[in-house]
Amino acid sequence: DGGITQSPKYLFRKEGQNVTLSCEQNLNHDAMYWYRQDPGQGLRLIYYSQIVNDFQKGDIAEGYSVSREKKESFPLTVTSAQKNPTAFYLCASSIRGGTNTGELFFGEGSRLTVL
Amino acid sequence: AQSVTQPDIHITVSEGASLELRCNYSYGATPYLFWYVQSPGQGLQLLLKYFSGDTLVQGIKGFEAEFKRSQSSFNLRKPSVHWSDAAEYFCAVGVTGGGNKLTFGTGTQLKVEL
């Protein structure tokens, strides 16, 4: 079945450590996204990529980094510079388009807890 | 920039009762509008979407939503709620030329009483 796979589902990190969240999709979608979800704040866009080897900052990119070396993969690194990294992270993908004609397909999320 | 407001943080309804979840958006032109549902600890699933045309949109699981330009609203409705509808619901807006980046509301948590 086609879909988006995020791993790990749960992750614990000590302060000062970098951690990388994996996101893989087999939907043949061009565009991929990372959102952060906090209680009562909805989803906020961290980074997005419309095509391989290209990505843009979203609304809350500080303390995060991404890469897009392959169409199916869009890993997110939460660096030690992120002051409040404990959150639920959601990866999504969509068919690329010049106008917004597509929906987002979401993975099941990764919950990061900083100890 | 566009924005989305979901004024109700929590809503409780009895099973079998009707449901309406409110969503208001702010954007200068016609937006693209979405409703997503999220079960605890899971990703989001699309319920329905509005791009153009008929302002009453039908979705999955018996949900529908109506786009009202004059009120800048896109409220989600269901005539009879089932216990399995208990979840968090998110309204989202996309804009022309914005790719597929969406701006989400803060969500409405739905509780269903048996």
Side-chain angles (χ1 to χ4, degrees), chain A residues 4 8 15 22 32 55 62 64 71 86 91 103 113:
Chain A
I4 299 177
E15 283 192 22
S22 171
M32 298 186 73
F55 50 83
E62 184 175 353
Y64 300 97
K71 184 176 183 178
T86 294
C91 180
E103 67 188 77
T113 302

Side-chain angles (χ1 to χ4, degrees), chain B:
Chain B
Q2 69 275 13
S3 65
V4 178
T5 301
Q6 293 181 249
D8 303 306
I9 298 174
H10 296 98
I11 283 185
T12 299
V13 299
S14 299
E15 189 174 38
S18 63
L19 171 70
E20 183 169 31
L21 302 182
R22 295 184 291 166
C23 172
N24 293 96
Y25 68 89
S26 173
Y27 179 59
T30 300
Y32 303 101
L33 296 161
F34 305 80
W35 274 101
Y36 283 86
V37 61
Q38 184 182 36
S39 298
Q42 301 294 313
L44 278 68
Q45 180 184 22
L46 181 71
L47 285 175
L48 47 78
K49 58 189 177 185
Y50 171 79
F51 289 152
S52 63
D54 192 348
T55 56
L56 184 62
V57 180
Q58 301 296 322
I60 63 171
K61 305 184 180 185
F63 285 92
E64 66 178 26
E66 186 171 12
F67 170 59
K68 292 186 177 180
R69 184 189 306 275
S70 61
Q71 299 178 18
S72 298
S73 70
F74 189 57
N75 293 349
L76 182 70
R77 301 193 295 249
K78 187 170 186 178
S80 178
V81 171
H82 189 263
W83 64 266
S84 60
D85 293 323
E88 189 157 22
Y89 292 79
F90 291 92
C91 182
V93 62
V95 300
T96 304
N100 286 316
K101 294 183 298 173
L102 299 186
T103 298
F104 286 83
T106 52
T108 297
Q109 187 72 46
L110 174 65
K111 179 180 177 181
V112 179
E113 291 182 333
L114 300 177

Side-chain angles (χ1 to χ4, degrees), chain A residues 10-28:
Chain A
Y10 299 96
L11 186 61
F12 297 89
R13 185 194 98 176
K14 294 182 180 179
E15 283 192 22
Q17 289 181 335
N18 292 354
V19 62
T20 297
L21 307 180
S22 171
C23 178
E24 303 278 333
Q25 56 99 358
N26 60 5
L27 299 168
N28 199 33

